Amino acid sequence: PNMSPEIVLFPSINTGNFTVQSSSLIQNISIADLMGKTVYRQNNIEQKTLNIELTSHPGLYFVHVFAENGESVKKMVLTR
């Protein structure tokens, strides 16, 4: 069976600084806004923990995490 990785994003409400942790190596991360526009992308990460600094407008974002054994989408709210 294809086990998807355990992915945690914290804090889920933040001012642009947040951390993504995964049970398997994170390969790529992309963040999209509600309109589906990509506002952040990082490739070839190869780490289990990643600190991200996002400078974008306040609102709801979808964090797409592509890890070694699967992918996951987490919601995140950016505030001022």
Side-chain angles (χ1 to χ4, degrees):
N2 186 7
M3 295 289 293
S4 45
E6 189 66 39
I7 305 222
V8 182
L9 182 152
F10 60 92
S12 59
I13 299 175
N14 60 68
T15 56
N17 291 313
F18 61 96
T19 301
V20 176
Q21 279 184 341
S22 171
S23 57
S24 66
L25 285 177
I26 300 168
Q27 291 164 333
N28 307 318
I29 283 187
S30 68
I31 302 174
D33 63 15
L34 278 177
M35 307 305 282
K37 183 176 151 230
T38 299
V39 296
Y40 179 95
R41 184 185 301 272
Q42 189 171 342
N43 299 322
N44 306 313
I45 299 165
E46 303 300 331
Q47 295 175 42
K48 289 189 175 184
T49 303
L50 184 68
N51 296 312
I52 295 179
E53 236 179 278
L54 180 67
T55 51
S56 204
H57 299 290
L60 179 65
Y61 291 87
F62 297 98
V63 181
H64 297 255
V65 181
F66 300 90
E68 248 177 351
N69 59 349
E71 61 184 79
S72 179
V73 178
K74 297 287 178 191
K75 285 184 190 167
M76 181 198 84
V77 175
L78 190 65
T79 62
R80 288 232 178 273

